[in-house]
Amino acid sequence: MSNPPDLIDGRAVAEKVYAELRGEIAALKAEGITPGLAVVLIGDDPASRAYVRSKDKMCRELGLHSVKLELPAETTQTDLLAHVEELTRDPAIHGILVQSPPPKQIDEGAIVRALGPAKDVDGFHPLNIAKLALGDASGFVPCTPLGCLRLLRESGVAVSGAHVVVLGRSMIVGKPLALLLMQKGIDATVTVVHSRTRHLAEITHTADVIVAAIGQAGFVRAEHVREGAVVIDVGINRVEDAAAPRGYRLVGDVAFDEVAPKTAAITPVPGGVGPMTIAMLMANTVKAARLSSSGAGGAASR
Ligand code: NDP
């Protein structure tokens, strides 16, 4: 049996990101710019509410300007668009995000288009997706893929030339992560698998790095992973647990106990990718403020 795996500590890497950002925020403040983030929450989904709370808390800890807009579940598309347009015009706000998933009556794509690329710190606007595909660093890359890459780099995993298998092809994680990893300069060889993939375990078994982002608790088992691979678990799934204080606990897409012993390094859930997603949101907000101060934000919005 090989050495015990390295546990990739997302909280520690996030702290490193915050230490870097503090310097940048201080420099921006010296120029009279306080980076500002607006988070819009529609409805009262408890998980979304918790995410919004932690984003707001992190903004405050870093000394960013934070606006938390809480709207009722029955908010119409027209009302939401009016709020978003107001935030888009507000010079104190550099980044805007609408917490996912919004209620059924909301067309998320239309909202992202309305907020424009320059304040789209989630990286979901078509122009930002195009920039990611083009390798144009002036755009915003979605936070979770950015966090995964940073975790790999900080853990000393050589991504260049490695075979990375990404499980899941969502626009939030899988697809942008694949685009990011295959960029020139990052240079991974990327395979994306999804619910229609045949022989999935055979493919993941050839991976140097596996990134699981499918939303299926414990889906990745020992048989999917070759000895010595690195595993990044993006999944956040609630499973019932009568012994847990809240009646549930959070688990990833990877069956940690049986997979970890085979790996060279693996992220835990919680405490892996989750903290990095918020850290990269803060980083994107600071980037948006920097771009706006240099005038590039205006250009990006055209
Ligand atoms: P989506 O539901 O949008 O996408 C899931 C993807 O996984 C789809 O591409 C789907 O395939 C694929 N998939 C589902 N089941 C299987 C299966 N059995 N075998 C192979 N592929 C499968 O999920 P998200 O990308 O939004 O989220 C994925 C997970 O990551 C969730 O647990 C979510 O909570 C978590 N997450 C965590 C974040 C963090 O900060 N740590 C941030 C964002 C998400 P198909 O396209 O064919 O349907």
Side-chain angles (χ1 to χ4, degrees), residues 18 59 62 68 91 102 117 121 136 145 153 168 179 199-200 223 236 265 270 272 280 282 289 291:
Y18 293 136
C59 277
L62 291 173
K68 197 168 64 164
V121 284
D136 175 345
R153 287 189 158 153
L179 286 171
H199 313 302
L200 186 144
E223 78 218 36
I236 301 178
M280 298 331 270
M282 299 298 130
L291 288 175

Side-chain angles (χ1 to χ4, degrees), residues 144 168-170 173 194-195 213-216 219 234-237 273-274 277:
T144 302
R169 55 175 166 180
S170 74
V173 191
H194 47 75
S195 69
I214 60 174
Q216 307 282 332
F219 177 90
V234 179
I236 301 178
N237 309 288
V273 176
T277 296

Side-chain angles (χ1 to χ4, degrees), residues 100-115:
S100 244
K104 296 237 173 328
Q105 73 275 17
I106 302 297
D107 174 354
E108 222 173 346
I111 300 298
V112 171
R113 287 192 294 279
L115 71 81

Side-chain angles (χ1 to χ4, degrees), residues 40 55 96-102 107-132 139-146 170-177 179 277 281 284:
V40 183
K55 288 166 186 171
I96 306 169
L97 73 84
V98 177
Q99 183 62 44
S100 244
D107 174 354
E108 222 173 346
I111 300 298
V112 171
R113 287 192 294 279
L115 71 81
K119 296 193 179 186
D120 167 40
V121 284
D122 258 341
F124 297 161
H125 189 282
L127 189 70
N128 284 320
I129 297 165
K131 285 186 172 182
L132 174 60
F140 293 104
V141 177
C143 304
T144 302
L146 266 187
S170 74
M171 288 308 297
I172 298 179
V173 191
K175 215 179 272 185
L177 179 61
L179 286 171
T277 296
L281 174 65
N284 274 352

Side-chain angles (χ1 to χ4, degrees), residues 21 55 58 86 155 189 207 220 291:
L21 288 178
K55 288 166 186 171
M58 203 57 237
E86 197 181 321
S155 314
T189 302
V220 176
L291 288 175

